[in-house]
Amino acid sequence: MTEVSPDLARARSLVPAAFGTPRRTRLLRLGAWSAFLLMTGWCLWAFGFSPARLLAGVTRLGDVLSFMFPPYVWTTWAEWREILKGLAETVSMAFMGTLLGAIIAFPLAFLGAGNIMPSRWFRLGIRRGFDALRAIEQLILALVFIRAFGLGPLAGILAIAVSEIGTFSKLFSEAIENTSNKSADGIRASGGGNFHTVRFAILPQALPVILSIVLYNFESNTRSGTILGIVGAGGIGFLLADRISAYRWPEAWTIIFLIIFMVYLIDGFSGFLRKRIIGGEDQGRT
């Protein structure tokens, strides 16, 4: 055994609490771990997790995947036109929804930023409004707008836009809050007012972050637009749901592959824009 030095032994005798975990902390840790294990066990029991069920599901999944091969290749222009139109609708729906959400959220973000809005209670009320918009899933919004405006991309655009207003407002306000105060202090010291401070000190710092957020969410909304199409909001998702419901698995797999390829293209294009606009030409070459 390692001998304890006299200084360490003396320190332990003087401040024993510094060398041990308090009882309250131990009880809290025990309670937290117990709650975690109980919650996990209840979920596994309530949702019917079992090795036999998982094995049977994996076997059926293998059967479904086998139905998808070989992928189907459309041979006529009419078939390709329908698929390409669905892809174009999905991308357009994501683009318009993201654009509308960003345009509306941009001025609202200043109301929720602490370095812009001095009233704490008003700012917290605005932020709770952002949370309320983000709490409603796009799929639910799409179902509501489909009832109001009918089937088609318009319902999907509105669903994405409303959801993105809450998301963008929160993220934009945080980007504005995280800007450095040194530039703002310099503008005020030189006689600039609030408008000049926002225009020349805050926006140059926040806009690159805001643009990066918009580009990323556009890519994410392209995937979300596929799901919205399944419930009737137009786009490639409607065609995918139609093929799956008709058990036309090779065509469904081809559509899935085209969706993945489309997301790759959008991700590459967004990365290119980020390097050119945000990172600068020299950074993009590194």
Side-chain angles (χ1 to χ4, degrees):
M1 294 180 59
T2 304
E3 295 184 0
V4 180
S5 63
D7 294 336
L8 182 59
R10 183 171 179 272
R12 284 181 175 177
S13 63
L14 293 175
V15 283
F19 294 89
T21 304
R23 178 178 297 177
R24 180 182 178 184
T25 302
R26 293 198 302 268
L27 291 176
L28 288 175
R29 289 177 180 176
L30 178 62
W33 277 108
S34 300
F36 171 76
L37 294 176
L38 288 174
M39 187 66 181
T40 303
W42 181 84
C43 290
L44 293 175
W45 172 79
F47 301 147
F49 278 88
S50 66
R53 185 178 181 184
L54 291 176
L55 180 60
V58 171
T59 303
R60 289 194 298 269
L61 178 61
D63 294 336
V64 171
L65 293 177
S66 66
F67 296 152
M68 294 183 176
F69 291 94
Y72 181 81
V73 178
W74 294 281
T75 57
T76 64
W77 169 244
E79 293 175 318
W80 274 108
R81 184 172 56 185
E82 182 186 23
I83 299 302
L84 295 178
K85 180 184 177 182
L87 287 172
E89 280 188 356
T90 298
V91 175
S92 301
M93 188 166 57
F95 174 77
M96 289 301 301
T98 304
L99 181 63
L100 289 176
I103 291 174
I104 299 174
F106 184 73
L108 295 177
F110 290 94
L111 301 178
N115 55 345
I116 301 295
M117 180 54 59
S119 175
R120 180 172 181 270
W121 292 108
F122 180 80
R123 186 174 69 253
L124 290 178
I126 291 294
R127 289 201 169 192
R128 297 295 77 78
F130 299 161
D131 295 339
L133 290 176
R134 291 188 300 110
I136 306 175
E137 180 60 36
Q138 287 184 3
L139 194 62
I140 299 176
L141 291 171
L143 292 173
V144 173
F145 286 125
I146 286 172
R147 291 290 184 182
F149 297 95
L151 299 174
L154 178 60
I157 291 173
L158 295 176
I160 293 174
V162 172
S163 176
E164 288 302 280
I165 289 174
T167 302
F168 280 149
S169 298
K170 174 180 174 58
L171 296 178
F172 291 177
S173 62
E174 292 179 352
I176 294 170
E177 278 187 345
N178 291 329
T179 56
S180 174
N181 293 327
K182 295 181 180 179
S183 300
D185 294 339
I187 295 295
R188 294 190 184 97
S190 62
N194 292 332
F195 174 79
H196 297 90
T197 302
V198 173
R199 170 64 180 84
F200 296 104
I202 295 178
L203 282 183
Q205 301 179 66
L207 280 180
V209 180
I210 289 174
L211 181 58
S212 179
I213 292 170
V214 171
L215 290 174
Y216 174 78
N217 280 43
F218 169 54
E219 174 197 338
S220 177
N221 288 329
T222 304
R223 299 190 297 268
S224 301
T226 303
I227 305 301
L228 299 182
I230 293 177
V231 298
I236 195 65
F238 178 79
L239 301 177
L240 178 61
D242 176 69
R243 268 49 175 191
I244 293 178
S245 61
Y247 298 101
R248 295 158 67 176
W249 297 110
E251 293 186 41
W253 167 244
T254 305
I255 293 175
I256 292 173
F257 175 79
L258 290 175
I259 293 172
I260 296 173
F261 181 70
M262 179 180 62
V263 172
Y264 283 165
L265 289 179
I266 294 175
D267 178 64
F269 181 68
S270 299
F272 172 77
L273 286 181
R274 281 192 291 267
K275 290 179 181 179
R276 297 288 296 186
I277 299 176
I278 301 173
E281 187 174 356
D282 294 336
Q283 183 177 345
R285 293 174 180 171
T286 58

